[in-house]
Amino acid sequence: MYENDDSASPRYDLLVVGSANADLVVGVERRPGPGETVLGSDLVVHPGGKGANQAVAAARLGARTALLARVGDDAHGRLLRASQQEAGVDTGGVLVGGAPTGVALITVDPSGDNSIVVSPGANARLTPEDIRAAGPLFASARVVSVQLEIPLDTVAETARAVGPGTRLVLNPSPPAPLPHEVLAACDPLVVNEHEARCILGEGAGSTPEAWALKLVALGPRSVVITLGADGALVCDTRAGDPVRVPSPRVDAVDTTGAGDAFTAALAWRLGLGEALAQAAAFAVRVGAAAVTKEGAQASFPTAEEVAAL
């Protein structure tokens, strides 16, 4: 199924291993509380999922990108494959069958904040065996990016599949306990404020700088904490103290997928050889551009749109 590239230069700037979902989005005046029903806008269906989002975001920026994921043999699966191909993503690693395509149920309020419930579907059937079968894809990538919308043992196998010349980027979303072998392979571990607190638990500290230092102590070679409109904070064990990276100010319309756009941009630029802070400075601009449009993949900017921000 997979072709290897025996040339000296890797075939892909980025291999994304992760989820592919259909995003079912409804706008609401406010998100409902327990037991409450609220009326919303007409339903809109977007291609999504953290893995698929990252792949499209990177490809739209100009990265040579491949996706390793699993979708169902259904209309949502066809939508997802088509959106990847339209963006220029290599879909040779997108497996079909085993369960219906995953679905994310999303409500978005007028401020652009969202709440999401995910039904994993076929994403839960992406197995360690699928990862091992994709060895040539891993051998052909500068950077591998993975998230936690696929089984944890598949994430662990992904970490083991990354060769010594390839960098692993992990966004642990939704957060879950991570084996030491996975944490030790991260370079960087990319988390938002909620994910940082979930991983660290009680005694996390009150500042992103404190979170970053404690996260690095768990084993990752580097850590990036996304801070929404405040940008990001980076901490590299090879470069000293944590550093803040500011974000340009924009009017947020919809934050769905912004973190995925950030992580994809970061991973791509790291693969080009940029330092962590430099790559994060580009990534916060990509994330800022993404929140100015509705949807996830539809909002992801081109390199020209980022430059104009």
Side-chain angles (χ1 to χ4, degrees):
M1 175 181 293
Y2 308 106
E3 296 179 0
N4 202 350
D5 186 348
D6 294 327
S7 64
S9 178
R11 180 179 177 186
Y12 304 110
D13 298 314
L14 179 63
L15 167 63
V16 182
V17 181
S19 60
N21 293 326
D23 288 348
L24 310 184
V25 184
V26 176
V28 293
E29 285 301 314
R30 59 183 177 81
R31 286 170 284 176
E36 183 183 14
T37 299
V38 299
L39 294 178
S41 65
D42 290 343
L43 174 70
V44 180
V45 181
H46 298 290
K50 287 187 170 297
N53 285 350
Q54 286 189 17
V56 167
R60 195 162 290 167
L61 290 168
R64 299 170 299 166
T65 309
L67 175 65
L68 175 55
R70 184 174 287 277
V71 298
D73 185 12
D74 50 33
H76 286 155
R78 290 187 287 276
L79 169 71
L80 287 161
R81 295 198 304 276
S83 71
Q84 296 290 313
Q85 292 161 0
E86 182 180 352
V89 177
D90 188 325
T91 58
V94 178
L95 308 171
V96 179
T101 301
V103 172
L105 309 175
I106 303 173
T107 59
V108 182
D109 70 19
S111 72
D113 286 333
N114 60 65
S115 295
I116 304 175
V117 177
V118 175
S119 171
N123 297 304
R125 276 72 170 185
L126 187 67
T127 66
E129 290 74 19
D130 294 331
I131 302 303
R132 288 190 286 270
L137 272 179
F138 284 86
S140 300
R142 294 180 187 274
V143 179
V144 174
S145 181
V146 67
Q147 322 79 40
L148 298 189
E149 288 184 340
I150 57 175
L152 189 56
D153 57 350
T154 304
V155 174
E157 189 63 34
T158 298
R160 288 189 286 269
V162 173
T166 302
R167 195 162 185 160
L168 179 69
V169 177
L170 169 63
N171 172 218
S173 178
L178 294 169
H180 176 73
E181 66 169 325
V182 173
L183 284 168
C186 296
D187 192 15
L189 177 73
V190 182
V191 295
N192 62 22
E193 299 175 54
H194 169 70
E195 292 152 3
R197 290 182 181 275
C198 283
I199 292 171
L200 294 172
E202 293 184 8
S206 59
T207 67
E209 286 80 4
W211 304 337
L213 292 172
K214 290 182 178 180
L215 287 169
V216 165
L218 296 178
R221 301 173 195 178
S222 58
V223 167
V224 175
I225 301 176
T226 58
L227 303 172
D230 292 328
L233 179 140
V234 304
C235 184
D236 192 329
T237 58
R238 297 152 293 199
D241 294 334
V243 175
R244 293 255 185 171
V245 179
S247 171
R249 296 295 174 181
V250 297
D251 293 325
V253 174
D254 183 358
T255 60
T256 306
D260 301 327
F262 173 95
T263 304
L266 179 79
W268 173 45
R269 302 297 278 217
L270 289 173
L272 297 181
E274 291 185 357
L276 187 61
Q278 182 182 7
F282 177 78
V284 295
R285 296 178 66 84
V286 173
V291 303
T292 63
K293 299 179 183 178
E294 293 184 350
Q297 294 178 20
S299 74
F300 296 154
T302 63
E304 290 77 16
E305 288 171 331
V306 175
L309 186 64

